[in-house]
Amino acid sequence: MAEEVLLIGTWGSPFSGRIEVALKLKGVQYKYVEEDMANKSPVLLQYNPVHKKIPVLVHNGKPIAESQVILEYIDETWQDYPILPKDPHERAIARFWAKLIDEKCYPASFRACWGADQKEHEKAVEEVNEQLQFLEDELNEKRFFGGEEIGFVDIVGNVIAFWLGGLEEASGAVVMAREKFPKLCNWANEFVRQSVIKESLPARDKLIAYFRNRFGAGTSK
Amino acid sequence: MAEEVLLIGTWGSPFSGRIEVALKLKGVQYKYVEEDMANKSPVLLQYNPVHKKIPVLVHNGKPIAESQVILEYIDETWQDYPILPKDPHERAIARFWAKLIDEKCYPASFRACWGADQKEHEKAVEEVNEQLQFLEDELNEKRFFGGEEIGFVDIVGNVIAFWLGGLEEASGAVVMAREKFPKLCNWANEFVRQSVIKESLPARDKLIAYFRNRFGAGTSK
């Protein structure tokens, strides 16, 4: 049976971007459908009635939602190019950092850029900086979090490697200062240089215009 | 080499309770250390410097934090009594519901019980009810979310099966009405009746006293 792999996403979303990267790394052929989040399609509502959000991966008619859940599914379904390490402890560590990035670091980055006031902005910058310091230490001398190759934490870390820079430029805030986080900054450069990443990223100017249009001028301006 | 399995937890936490259940289901011998969260131990700070939270599982000297990450680790490390299904799509579905429970349902339950005002209370009850309806439909006629046996979603669902009742009683709020969610209520009864669960639960009175002491009278009182 020919496999049917459908990805419902949006151009500017790091979360659907992750799924594209994973499918490309695995060499899985897929069809991409751009969702209009201002006018959600019946297909999205059918496949993700709980959250009504992208990304949704539909594999042979079966839907899966939530980007990290989809990444785990992809890794379990297609064996080429493992995304998570083999060792259970290393897998746990990768899941731990990925969870930190999505649950703490990325949401705090938004507050750092578009906090309600200067106080919230400063508090959030401090928060993100503490988290980034842990990530800087975890990365250490490695090329990627996954080692020599892009792995689970790198794919999830696209929000730091690429999107955070967009948030900073759109809002005028500085969250990940190069002098404080030289390793993370080098990793981010190395990450976005990879052809499989580059071809899955939105145009930076378009993303920044989108953020400005949606969130307005930043707190620190 | 003899295995060293250490669990750092607190008596009233559903999150360390989950780890106890999983280890017991797997038949893994472990040592439990009660943490004083008002006066955190150097051991906790050493093993979970990022969040400084329980539970932490330390297996042969290697620490893992975050209850769902620990559950995945336990399932990958000890093969007896699989917690997650085998099929990748069923695994994804289990992870999806577990994520909903922890990220949406349980936090909203607190706002439903101790919202800042009546408006927040009502909004949160509505939110939780919508989520519980999805879980009610997912459970359907099954004994447990895992089928005939307790699985990943059931273990994570301890916050609904047991803790939510404690929150309701301590605050006086009604969040999961029996007439609205008969299947979930039956499941909760069946879940807490299992000996492996029962022996891992805190005393209900003690838990309610703890909640009242910590959060005060509920919004809806």
Side-chain angles (χ1 to χ4, degrees), chain B residues 152-173:
Chain B
F152 192 70
V153 181
D154 302 284
I155 297 172
V156 170
N158 69 349
V159 290
I160 296 171
F162 182 78
W163 269 262
L164 178 54
L167 299 181
E168 289 179 309
E169 192 170 333
S171 68

Side-chain angles (χ1 to χ4, degrees), chain A residues 74-92:
Chain A
I74 289 173
D75 209 30
E76 289 173 356
T77 302
W78 292 282
Q79 311 305 318
D80 278 1
Y81 195 103
I83 291 172
L84 277 160
K86 268 196 181 164
D87 173 73
H89 190 260
E90 287 177 25
R91 291 165 76 82

